[in-house]
Amino acid sequence: MAEELVHRSVTNGIATITLDSPHNRNALSAQLRRELRDHLERSIGEDGVRVIVLDHTGPVFCAGMDLKESRSAGAGDQGVQDLPALLELIWTSPKPVVSKLAGPARAGGVGLVAATDIAVAADTATFAFSEVRIGVVPAVISVTVLPRLHARQAHELFLTGETFDARRAVEIGLLNSAVAAADLDAETTRYTDMLALGGPNALAATKDMLRRPRAAKMSDDFAEMLALSAEHFAGEEGQEGIRAFGEKRKPSWVPQD
C-alpha cells in the first residue's frame, strides 16, 4: 500500500491539511490530488471544523502538475481533468481555507494558492506561471488565478513565465501577507483565530456573496442584499451572536481551547 502523501490533523476547530511529498516537491500527482480532495471533503463535512489550513512539508509548497506522470500518460489523461474539481472544491468551500507557504509555488501550485480565501507566505517564497516555458497553457488555473490578479500583471506574468517574489505577490493580489519565515506560523494563526470567531453560516453566506455576480441595477442589488441581511439577523446563529455581544461573552460557535 502506498504511503500517504497528504495528512490531516484537527486542533481547536482548525483542520490542517499537509502536502507531504517532498521527494517531488509536492507535485500534483494523481495520488496527492486524490488524497487532498478526500481530506478537503472530510474537513468540509465535519461540523467541528471551522477553518481549513493548507500546509506543506519540505522546502517547496507545490511544484504544479507531476510532469513525470504527464510524460507517461496518454493525451486524454494528463491529470488536468480532475484538477478543476479540486480547485472548485477549495474555492467553493463553505469554510474558509487558508494557504500557508514556507516555500515556492509554481503553475498548478499557484492555482491552489489562488483558490484559497487567505494566502500567507514566507517572504522568501517565489512564484511563477511557468507553463508557457514548457509549451503548455496555464488554462485551468486561470479560473482561480485571474480573479485575484490585476489585469496588466496577469498578462505579463502568464506570458513571460517570470519568477516573482512574495512581496510582489502581495502587491498584485495573489497573497494577503508575506512575512519573515520565523513569523509564518504566528501570521497564519492570526488569520485562523480571526476566522474562527465568525459564525459558520455567516461565513459560508459571506463567501457565497463574494462570489456572486452583482445585479445590473443597484436597486435590485440592494433588494437582494437586504433580504440576505434580514435572513441572518433573524436566524438562530445571528440571534446567538447578538445575545453573546450583549452578554459580553463569546458566541457558542467559537472553538474552546
Side-chain angles (χ1 to χ4, degrees), residues 6-11 13-19 39 43 49 51-56 100 188 192:
V6 184
H7 312 300
R8 191 187 85 118
S9 63
V10 180
T11 304
I14 311 300
T16 300
I17 299 175
T18 303
L19 309 182
H39 286 310
S43 298
V49 171
V51 181
I52 300 168
V53 175
L54 188 56
D55 200 352
H56 67 102
K100 174 187 175 186
T188 303
T192 58

Side-chain angles (χ1 to χ4, degrees), residues 136-161:
V136 298
V137 179
V140 172
I141 67 166
S142 72
V143 178
T144 59
V145 172
L146 291 182
R148 306 296 191 198
L149 300 192
H150 306 312
R152 181 65 73 181
Q153 284 84 352
H155 277 248
E156 174 192 342
L157 296 170
F158 270 49
L159 292 171
T160 64

Side-chain angles (χ1 to χ4, degrees), residues 204-217:
T206 299
K207 284 196 61 172
D208 188 57
M209 179 192 70
L210 289 167
R211 293 191 301 265
R212 67 184 284 279
R214 310 309 302 191
K217 291 175 58 179

Side-chain angles (χ1 to χ4, degrees), residues 19 21-22 24-28 54-65 99-113 120-130 162-166 169 174-175 181 184:
L19 309 182
S21 184
N24 66 351
R25 303 188 301 161
N26 291 318
L28 294 167
L54 188 56
D55 200 352
H56 67 102
T57 64
V60 177
F61 173 75
C62 178
M65 297 303 296
S99 50
K100 174 187 175 186
L101 291 78
R106 296 289 185 269
V110 187
L112 289 179
V113 174
V120 182
D123 56 14
T124 52
T126 61
F127 304 83
F129 304 103
S130 50
E162 178 187 16
T163 299
F164 55 100
D165 63 21
L174 180 64
L175 293 179
L184 183 58

